[in-house]
Short mmCIF file of all heavy atoms in Angstrom, two decimals:
data_model
loop_
_atom_site.label_atom_id
_atom_site.label_comp_id
_atom_site.label_asym_id
_atom_site.label_seq_id
_atom_site.Cartn_x
_atom_site.Cartn_y
_atom_site.Cartn_z
N MET A 1 134.98 119.94 99.29
CA MET A 1 134.02 118.83 99.22
C MET A 1 133.85 118.38 97.83
O MET A 1 133.57 119.13 96.95
CB MET A 1 132.69 119.30 99.78
CG MET A 1 131.66 118.23 99.91
SD MET A 1 130.22 118.88 100.74
CE MET A 1 129.03 117.60 100.33
N PRO A 2 134.10 117.11 97.58
CA PRO A 2 133.97 116.66 96.18
C PRO A 2 132.51 116.60 95.72
O PRO A 2 131.59 116.41 96.56
CB PRO A 2 134.54 115.22 96.22
CG PRO A 2 134.41 114.83 97.64
CD PRO A 2 134.55 116.05 98.47
N GLN A 3 132.39 116.78 94.42
CA GLN A 3 131.05 116.83 93.86
C GLN A 3 130.54 115.38 93.68
O GLN A 3 131.31 114.47 93.43
CB GLN A 3 131.02 117.56 92.54
CG GLN A 3 131.23 119.02 92.66
CD GLN A 3 131.20 119.74 91.34
OE1 GLN A 3 131.18 119.06 90.27
NE2 GLN A 3 131.17 121.04 91.37
N MET A 4 129.19 115.24 93.79
CA MET A 4 128.61 113.94 93.58
C MET A 4 127.89 113.92 92.24
O MET A 4 127.39 114.94 91.78
CB MET A 4 127.65 113.61 94.68
CG MET A 4 128.33 113.35 96.00
SD MET A 4 127.14 113.11 97.34
CE MET A 4 126.39 111.62 96.82
N ALA A 5 127.82 112.76 91.59
CA ALA A 5 127.05 112.62 90.40
C ALA A 5 125.53 112.74 90.75
O ALA A 5 125.12 112.44 91.79
CB ALA A 5 127.35 111.29 89.77
N PRO A 6 124.76 113.24 89.79
CA PRO A 6 123.34 113.42 89.98
C PRO A 6 122.63 112.12 90.40
O PRO A 6 121.71 112.09 91.18
CB PRO A 6 122.80 113.93 88.61
CG PRO A 6 123.93 114.55 88.00
CD PRO A 6 125.16 113.76 88.46
N MET A 7 123.08 111.01 89.83
CA MET A 7 122.45 109.75 90.19
C MET A 7 122.65 109.44 91.63
O MET A 7 121.80 108.84 92.31
CB MET A 7 123.04 108.64 89.26
CG MET A 7 122.29 107.26 89.42
SD MET A 7 120.62 107.45 88.81
CE MET A 7 119.99 105.86 89.12
N TRP A 8 123.78 109.76 92.18
CA TRP A 8 124.08 109.53 93.62
C TRP A 8 123.25 110.41 94.48
O TRP A 8 122.80 110.04 95.58
CB TRP A 8 125.54 109.67 93.94
CG TRP A 8 126.39 108.56 93.35
CD1 TRP A 8 127.27 108.75 92.31
CD2 TRP A 8 126.39 107.24 93.69
NE1 TRP A 8 127.81 107.49 92.05
CE2 TRP A 8 127.25 106.56 92.91
CE3 TRP A 8 125.73 106.53 94.71
CZ2 TRP A 8 127.49 105.21 93.01
CZ3 TRP A 8 125.94 105.17 94.85
CH2 TRP A 8 126.89 104.51 94.04
N TRP A 9 122.97 111.66 93.99
CA TRP A 9 122.08 112.56 94.78
C TRP A 9 120.68 112.00 94.89
O TRP A 9 120.01 112.05 95.93
CB TRP A 9 121.99 113.88 94.17
CG TRP A 9 123.21 114.79 94.53
CD1 TRP A 9 124.22 115.22 93.63
CD2 TRP A 9 123.62 115.23 95.80
NE1 TRP A 9 125.08 115.89 94.28
CE2 TRP A 9 124.80 116.04 95.61
CE3 TRP A 9 123.06 115.14 97.06
CZ2 TRP A 9 125.40 116.57 96.68
CZ3 TRP A 9 123.69 115.82 98.14
CH2 TRP A 9 124.84 116.47 97.87
N THR A 10 120.14 111.40 93.74
CA THR A 10 118.86 110.85 93.75
C THR A 10 118.78 109.58 94.72
O THR A 10 117.79 109.40 95.40
CB THR A 10 118.36 110.48 92.40
OG1 THR A 10 119.30 109.60 91.79
CG2 THR A 10 118.18 111.70 91.59
N MET A 11 119.87 108.79 94.65
CA MET A 11 119.84 107.63 95.51
C MET A 11 119.94 108.01 96.99
O MET A 11 119.28 107.45 97.85
CB MET A 11 121.10 106.77 95.20
CG MET A 11 120.98 106.08 93.87
SD MET A 11 119.62 104.99 93.72
CE MET A 11 119.99 103.69 94.89
N LEU A 12 120.70 109.08 97.33
CA LEU A 12 120.72 109.60 98.68
C LEU A 12 119.36 110.15 99.07
O LEU A 12 118.93 109.91 100.25
CB LEU A 12 121.84 110.68 98.72
CG LEU A 12 122.20 111.19 100.15
CD1 LEU A 12 122.83 110.11 100.92
CD2 LEU A 12 123.07 112.42 100.03
N PHE A 13 118.72 110.90 98.18
CA PHE A 13 117.36 111.44 98.45
C PHE A 13 116.36 110.31 98.70
O PHE A 13 115.65 110.35 99.68
CB PHE A 13 116.96 112.32 97.24
CG PHE A 13 115.55 112.76 97.37
CD1 PHE A 13 115.32 113.85 98.29
CD2 PHE A 13 114.56 112.32 96.55
CE1 PHE A 13 113.96 114.31 98.31
CE2 PHE A 13 113.28 112.81 96.64
CZ PHE A 13 112.96 113.83 97.60
N LEU A 14 116.42 109.27 97.83
CA LEU A 14 115.52 108.15 98.04
C LEU A 14 115.80 107.41 99.36
O LEU A 14 114.87 106.95 100.00
CB LEU A 14 115.59 107.22 96.84
CG LEU A 14 115.03 107.73 95.53
CD1 LEU A 14 115.27 106.79 94.40
CD2 LEU A 14 113.57 108.04 95.67
N MET A 15 117.03 107.25 99.71
CA MET A 15 117.37 106.56 100.89
C MET A 15 116.85 107.32 102.12
O MET A 15 116.29 106.68 103.09
CB MET A 15 118.91 106.38 101.01
CG MET A 15 119.32 105.57 102.23
SD MET A 15 121.09 105.37 102.33
CE MET A 15 121.61 107.07 102.80
N PHE A 16 117.05 108.58 102.17
CA PHE A 16 116.58 109.38 103.32
C PHE A 16 115.10 109.40 103.39
O PHE A 16 114.50 109.33 104.49
CB PHE A 16 117.15 110.82 103.34
CG PHE A 16 118.58 110.86 103.83
CD1 PHE A 16 119.56 111.32 103.00
CD2 PHE A 16 118.89 110.50 105.14
CE1 PHE A 16 120.80 111.38 103.53
CE2 PHE A 16 120.14 110.57 105.68
CZ PHE A 16 121.16 111.04 104.79
N ASN A 17 114.38 109.53 102.27
CA ASN A 17 112.95 109.52 102.22
C ASN A 17 112.41 108.16 102.69
O ASN A 17 111.42 108.12 103.44
CB ASN A 17 112.43 109.78 100.86
CG ASN A 17 112.38 111.28 100.64
OD1 ASN A 17 112.45 112.10 101.55
ND2 ASN A 17 112.31 111.67 99.36
N SER A 18 113.07 107.03 102.26
CA SER A 18 112.60 105.77 102.62
C SER A 18 112.79 105.52 104.16
O SER A 18 111.96 104.98 104.86
CB SER A 18 113.28 104.66 101.85
OG SER A 18 114.61 104.66 102.11
N MET A 19 113.88 106.05 104.73
CA MET A 19 114.16 105.92 106.17
C MET A 19 113.16 106.73 106.92
O MET A 19 112.62 106.33 108.00
CB MET A 19 115.54 106.37 106.53
CG MET A 19 116.65 105.39 106.09
SD MET A 19 118.25 105.64 106.77
CE MET A 19 118.52 107.31 106.44
N PHE A 20 112.81 107.92 106.46
CA PHE A 20 111.81 108.81 107.06
C PHE A 20 110.47 108.17 107.09
O PHE A 20 109.79 108.09 108.11
CB PHE A 20 111.84 110.17 106.42
CG PHE A 20 110.80 111.08 106.94
CD1 PHE A 20 110.98 111.66 108.26
CD2 PHE A 20 109.66 111.43 106.23
CE1 PHE A 20 110.02 112.53 108.70
CE2 PHE A 20 108.76 112.31 106.68
CZ PHE A 20 108.96 112.86 107.96
N LEU A 21 110.02 107.65 105.96
CA LEU A 21 108.69 106.97 105.91
C LEU A 21 108.68 105.73 106.71
O LEU A 21 107.64 105.48 107.37
CB LEU A 21 108.35 106.62 104.39
CG LEU A 21 108.06 107.84 103.50
CD1 LEU A 21 107.93 107.40 102.12
CD2 LEU A 21 106.84 108.56 104.04
N LEU A 22 109.69 104.99 106.77
CA LEU A 22 109.78 103.75 107.56
C LEU A 22 109.72 104.08 109.04
O LEU A 22 108.96 103.46 109.76
CB LEU A 22 111.07 102.96 107.31
CG LEU A 22 111.23 101.67 108.00
CD1 LEU A 22 110.21 100.63 107.46
CD2 LEU A 22 112.62 101.13 107.86
N SER A 23 110.43 105.06 109.49
CA SER A 23 110.32 105.45 110.92
C SER A 23 108.95 105.98 111.26
O SER A 23 108.45 105.69 112.35
CB SER A 23 111.40 106.46 111.23
OG SER A 23 111.21 107.73 110.49
N ASN A 24 108.33 106.72 110.35
CA ASN A 24 106.97 107.25 110.61
C ASN A 24 105.97 106.06 110.67
O ASN A 24 105.08 106.09 111.57
CB ASN A 24 106.53 108.17 109.57
CG ASN A 24 107.17 109.57 109.75
OD1 ASN A 24 107.56 109.88 110.84
ND2 ASN A 24 107.17 110.37 108.76
N MET A 25 106.08 105.13 109.78
CA MET A 25 105.16 104.01 109.77
C MET A 25 105.43 103.16 111.07
O MET A 25 104.40 102.68 111.68
CB MET A 25 105.37 103.13 108.52
CG MET A 25 104.70 103.75 107.32
SD MET A 25 104.71 102.69 105.95
CE MET A 25 106.39 102.56 105.48
N LEU A 26 106.64 103.00 111.46
CA LEU A 26 106.88 102.20 112.66
C LEU A 26 106.34 102.82 113.89
O LEU A 26 105.67 102.22 114.74
CB LEU A 26 108.39 101.95 112.85
CG LEU A 26 109.02 100.91 111.95
CD1 LEU A 26 110.52 100.89 112.12
CD2 LEU A 26 108.45 99.54 112.20
N THR A 27 106.49 104.09 114.05
CA THR A 27 105.95 104.83 115.20
C THR A 27 104.45 104.88 115.13
O THR A 27 103.81 104.87 116.23
CB THR A 27 106.51 106.22 115.33
OG1 THR A 27 106.27 106.99 114.13
CG2 THR A 27 108.05 106.22 115.64
N TYR A 28 103.85 104.94 114.01
CA TYR A 28 102.36 104.96 113.89
C TYR A 28 101.80 103.65 114.29
O TYR A 28 100.78 103.55 115.00
CB TYR A 28 101.96 105.32 112.46
CG TYR A 28 100.43 105.36 112.30
CD1 TYR A 28 99.74 106.44 112.74
CD2 TYR A 28 99.82 104.34 111.64
CE1 TYR A 28 98.31 106.50 112.54
CE2 TYR A 28 98.44 104.35 111.51
CZ TYR A 28 97.67 105.45 111.92
OH TYR A 28 96.37 105.49 111.82
N PHE A 29 102.40 102.55 113.85
CA PHE A 29 101.80 101.20 114.11
C PHE A 29 102.25 100.60 115.43
O PHE A 29 101.61 99.70 115.91
CB PHE A 29 102.08 100.23 112.92
CG PHE A 29 101.30 100.59 111.67
CD1 PHE A 29 101.99 101.07 110.62
CD2 PHE A 29 99.98 100.50 111.65
CE1 PHE A 29 101.23 101.36 109.40
CE2 PHE A 29 99.24 100.78 110.51
CZ PHE A 29 99.91 101.18 109.38
N ILE A 30 103.34 101.09 116.00
CA ILE A 30 103.79 100.47 117.31
C ILE A 30 102.93 101.04 118.43
O ILE A 30 102.47 100.29 119.27
CB ILE A 30 105.21 100.79 117.58
CG1 ILE A 30 106.12 99.87 116.60
CG2 ILE A 30 105.69 100.59 118.96
CD1 ILE A 30 107.58 100.16 116.67
N TYR A 31 102.76 102.36 118.45
CA TYR A 31 102.03 102.91 119.56
C TYR A 31 100.54 102.91 119.30
O TYR A 31 100.06 103.46 118.32
CB TYR A 31 102.48 104.43 119.79
CG TYR A 31 103.97 104.51 120.20
CD1 TYR A 31 104.87 105.07 119.36
CD2 TYR A 31 104.38 104.01 121.40
CE1 TYR A 31 106.18 105.14 119.71
CE2 TYR A 31 105.75 104.02 121.68
CZ TYR A 31 106.59 104.64 120.85
OH TYR A 31 107.94 104.68 121.17
N ASN A 32 99.78 102.28 120.22
CA ASN A 32 98.34 102.22 120.07
C ASN A 32 97.74 103.23 121.06
O ASN A 32 97.66 102.97 122.23
CB ASN A 32 97.84 100.79 120.39
CG ASN A 32 96.46 100.56 120.08
OD1 ASN A 32 95.80 101.50 119.43
ND2 ASN A 32 95.87 99.49 120.46
N ILE A 33 97.28 104.29 120.51
CA ILE A 33 96.74 105.38 121.33
C ILE A 33 95.22 105.30 121.24
O ILE A 33 94.68 105.40 120.12
CB ILE A 33 97.24 106.76 120.89
CG1 ILE A 33 98.77 106.75 120.97
CG2 ILE A 33 96.65 107.84 121.72
CD1 ILE A 33 99.39 107.95 120.35
N ASN A 34 94.57 105.21 122.35
CA ASN A 34 93.09 105.23 122.42
C ASN A 34 92.59 106.53 122.90
O ASN A 34 92.19 106.65 124.10
CB ASN A 34 92.63 104.05 123.32
CG ASN A 34 92.97 102.71 122.76
OD1 ASN A 34 93.04 102.56 121.52
ND2 ASN A 34 93.22 101.80 123.59
N ASN A 35 92.49 107.51 122.05
CA ASN A 35 92.02 108.84 122.40
C ASN A 35 90.57 109.04 122.10
O ASN A 35 90.00 110.08 122.35
CB ASN A 35 92.83 109.90 121.73
CG ASN A 35 94.17 110.13 122.42
OD1 ASN A 35 94.32 109.78 123.59
ND2 ASN A 35 95.17 110.68 121.69
N LYS A 36 89.93 108.05 121.47
CA LYS A 36 88.56 108.26 121.09
C LYS A 36 87.59 108.41 122.26
O LYS A 36 86.75 109.36 122.26
CB LYS A 36 88.07 107.10 120.18
CG LYS A 36 88.80 107.02 118.83
CD LYS A 36 88.36 105.89 118.00
CE LYS A 36 89.10 105.84 116.71
NZ LYS A 36 88.67 104.72 115.92
N MET A 37 87.81 107.66 123.29
CA MET A 37 86.98 107.64 124.46
C MET A 37 87.25 108.98 125.24
O MET A 37 86.34 109.67 125.72
CB MET A 37 87.23 106.46 125.36
CG MET A 37 86.89 105.20 124.72
SD MET A 37 85.22 105.02 124.26
CE MET A 37 84.55 104.51 125.82
N LYS A 38 88.48 109.36 125.35
CA LYS A 38 88.87 110.58 126.07
C LYS A 38 88.30 111.84 125.36
O LYS A 38 87.83 112.78 125.93
CB LYS A 38 90.38 110.73 126.19
CG LYS A 38 90.99 109.70 127.10
CD LYS A 38 92.46 109.81 127.17
CE LYS A 38 93.10 108.74 128.00
NZ LYS A 38 94.53 108.81 128.08
N PHE A 39 88.36 111.79 124.03
CA PHE A 39 87.91 112.94 123.16
C PHE A 39 86.45 113.09 123.31
O PHE A 39 85.89 114.19 123.48
CB PHE A 39 88.30 112.71 121.74
CG PHE A 39 87.86 113.83 120.86
CD1 PHE A 39 88.49 115.10 120.90
CD2 PHE A 39 86.81 113.68 119.96
CE1 PHE A 39 88.08 116.15 120.13
CE2 PHE A 39 86.38 114.70 119.14
CZ PHE A 39 87.04 115.93 119.20
N ASN A 40 85.65 112.03 123.37
CA ASN A 40 84.20 112.06 123.51
C ASN A 40 83.88 112.63 124.85
O ASN A 40 82.87 113.40 125.02
CB ASN A 40 83.61 110.71 123.21
CG ASN A 40 83.69 110.35 121.72
OD1 ASN A 40 83.79 111.20 120.86
ND2 ASN A 40 83.53 109.05 121.46
N LYS A 41 84.56 112.20 125.89
CA LYS A 41 84.23 112.64 127.24
C LYS A 41 84.45 114.12 127.44
O LYS A 41 83.70 114.84 128.00
CB LYS A 41 85.00 111.80 128.23
CG LYS A 41 84.54 110.43 128.45
CD LYS A 41 85.37 109.70 129.42
CE LYS A 41 84.92 108.24 129.57
NZ LYS A 41 85.74 107.44 130.45
N THR A 42 85.57 114.58 126.90
CA THR A 42 85.86 115.99 127.04
C THR A 42 84.99 116.81 126.18
O THR A 42 84.58 117.94 126.52
CB THR A 42 87.34 116.29 126.63
OG1 THR A 42 87.53 115.83 125.27
CG2 THR A 42 88.34 115.66 127.56
N LEU A 43 84.50 116.33 125.05
CA LEU A 43 83.53 117.08 124.22
C LEU A 43 82.27 117.21 124.90
O LEU A 43 81.63 118.23 124.89
CB LEU A 43 83.40 116.31 122.90
CG LEU A 43 82.71 117.11 121.78
CD1 LEU A 43 83.53 118.24 121.30
CD2 LEU A 43 82.28 116.19 120.64
N LYS A 44 81.82 116.16 125.54
CA LYS A 44 80.47 116.25 126.32
C LYS A 44 80.62 117.24 127.51
O LYS A 44 79.71 117.98 127.76
CB LYS A 44 80.09 114.90 126.82
CG LYS A 44 79.62 113.93 125.71
CD LYS A 44 79.24 112.59 126.27
CE LYS A 44 78.90 111.70 125.14
NZ LYS A 44 78.64 110.32 125.61
N ASN A 45 81.72 117.21 128.14
CA ASN A 45 81.96 118.14 129.24
C ASN A 45 82.02 119.57 128.79
O ASN A 45 81.61 120.47 129.47
CB ASN A 45 83.19 117.76 130.10
CG ASN A 45 82.99 116.48 130.83
OD1 ASN A 45 81.87 116.08 131.14
ND2 ASN A 45 84.09 115.80 131.13
N GLN A 46 82.64 119.85 127.61
CA GLN A 46 82.76 121.17 127.19
C GLN A 46 81.45 121.75 126.75
O GLN A 46 81.22 122.91 126.80
CB GLN A 46 83.74 121.21 126.01
CG GLN A 46 85.19 121.02 126.42
CD GLN A 46 86.09 120.95 125.21
OE1 GLN A 46 85.63 120.98 124.10
NE2 GLN A 46 87.43 120.97 125.48
N MET A 47 80.52 120.93 126.24
CA MET A 47 79.27 121.37 125.73
C MET A 47 78.22 121.61 126.88
O MET A 47 77.12 122.04 126.64
CB MET A 47 78.71 120.39 124.73
CG MET A 47 79.56 120.25 123.48
SD MET A 47 79.85 121.84 122.65
CE MET A 47 78.24 122.09 121.95
N ASN A 48 78.54 121.27 128.10
CA ASN A 48 77.59 121.38 129.26
C ASN A 48 77.67 122.82 129.73
O ASN A 48 78.31 123.07 130.80
CB ASN A 48 77.92 120.27 130.29
CG ASN A 48 76.80 120.25 131.26
OD1 ASN A 48 75.76 120.87 131.12
ND2 ASN A 48 77.14 119.53 132.35
N TRP A 49 77.09 123.74 129.13
CA TRP A 49 77.11 125.15 129.56
C TRP A 49 75.94 125.41 130.50
O TRP A 49 74.84 124.90 130.22
CB TRP A 49 77.03 126.09 128.38
CG TRP A 49 78.32 126.09 127.57
CD1 TRP A 49 78.62 125.21 126.57
CD2 TRP A 49 79.37 127.01 127.70
NE1 TRP A 49 79.85 125.54 126.03
CE2 TRP A 49 80.32 126.64 126.67
CE3 TRP A 49 79.57 128.15 128.45
CZ2 TRP A 49 81.48 127.39 126.54
CZ3 TRP A 49 80.74 128.83 128.30
CH2 TRP A 49 81.70 128.48 127.37
N LYS A 50 76.21 126.21 131.48
CA LYS A 50 75.12 126.58 132.40
C LYS A 50 75.07 128.16 132.48
O LYS A 50 75.98 128.71 133.14
CB LYS A 50 75.25 126.01 133.77
CG LYS A 50 75.15 124.48 133.70
CD LYS A 50 75.26 123.90 135.14
CE LYS A 50 75.14 122.43 135.04
NZ LYS A 50 75.24 121.79 136.36
N TRP A 51 74.15 128.77 131.84
CA TRP A 51 74.21 130.22 131.80
C TRP A 51 73.26 130.77 132.95
O TRP A 51 72.23 130.40 133.16
CB TRP A 51 73.59 130.72 130.46
CG TRP A 51 74.55 130.43 129.34
CD1 TRP A 51 74.55 129.34 128.55
CD2 TRP A 51 75.63 131.24 128.94
NE1 TRP A 51 75.58 129.39 127.66
CE2 TRP A 51 76.27 130.56 127.84
CE3 TRP A 51 76.11 132.47 129.35
CZ2 TRP A 51 77.33 131.05 127.20
CZ3 TRP A 51 77.24 132.96 128.61
CH2 TRP A 51 77.83 132.27 127.63
#
């Protein structure tokens, strides 16, 4: 396997990091998950103890 220059390693590193961040941002902003209402309902149900 041929060796790469250090500048090419940094460019490869930056390219993969930017693709990773872009994919994370896309999945975060595309999917709109409304768990706030579900979380509050389950929290109220869990706290209703009858001893």
